[in-house]
Amino acid sequence: FSYGDVLGAGQGWARSILFNAQARDLFSGFFADEQRFALGVCNGCQMMSALKSLIPGAEHWPSFVRNRSEQFEARFSQVEIPESRSILLAHMAGARLPIAVAHGEGRASFGQSGDQTAVEVGGQVVMRYVDGDQPADRYPLNPNGSPAGITGLCNADGRITIMMPHPERNVRATSNSWRPDDWQALSPWIEIFRGARRW
């Protein structure tokens, strides 16, 4: 959590990069390097979405704004991993898994700067909240009010992935409040990191 997770923490983090020429050049070079990848979770998701002008193939990403509930939401939610270009999640397509959520500003807002249709058609939606077998559109199954349950995206070539939920909090099977018997030491969320290793 950057800046103590105060309001606009991800935006503040991004501005400390965008308004510093040296930092901006370093981040721009990193994102442009096809030998690099990145994962932004929670404040990292907010920060990287605000840096989309530096990220090739991220021009249609939304910004992340205050939850519709107007409060911090912390719980387990159910997400689905759709087919996407993400190097971290593409091999998990079709999975429906519980995941930790902990944010106050997690609602994807396409507004005037994003394009929901473009990210959906372009295979850039990597995670969405679900209600059974359909995108969750109501609270609390969709904890922040994001359209079509969208809570994770990647850039056009799949190297840069952002998401609001916290898969890193659920890598160990025992860190889940409930788990199937066949989950031994690790949960399926370890596959994100295995995907990075394979890439």
Side-chain angles (χ1 to χ4, degrees), residues 70 124 158:
E70 293 291 327
Q124 291 183 263

Side-chain angles (χ1 to χ4, degrees), residues 21 35-36 55 57-58 64 71 104 124 129 145 158 164 173-174 194:
Q35 301 301 309
R36 308 278 184 184
I55 301 172
F64 289 85
Q71 60 187 347
Q124 291 183 263
Y129 298 113
M164 283 307 300
T174 57
R194 288 178 176 155

Side-chain angles (χ1 to χ4, degrees), residues 135-156:
D137 60 1
R138 60 193 169 96
Y139 182 86
L141 299 175
N142 180 329
N144 53 42
S146 290
I150 295 171
T151 192
L153 301 115
C154 68
N155 71 327

Side-chain angles (χ1 to χ4, degrees), residues 52 60-65 106-115 146-147:
K52 68 183 182 177
H60 300 301
W61 282 2
S63 57
F64 289 85
V65 299
R107 179 168 50 96
S109 174
F110 288 90
Q112 297 177 359
S113 64
D115 186 332
S146 290

Side-chain angles (χ1 to χ4, degrees), residues 8-21:
Q11 291 288 331
W13 196 6
R15 288 187 176 113
S16 69
I17 295 163
L18 292 171
F19 299 153
N20 178 306

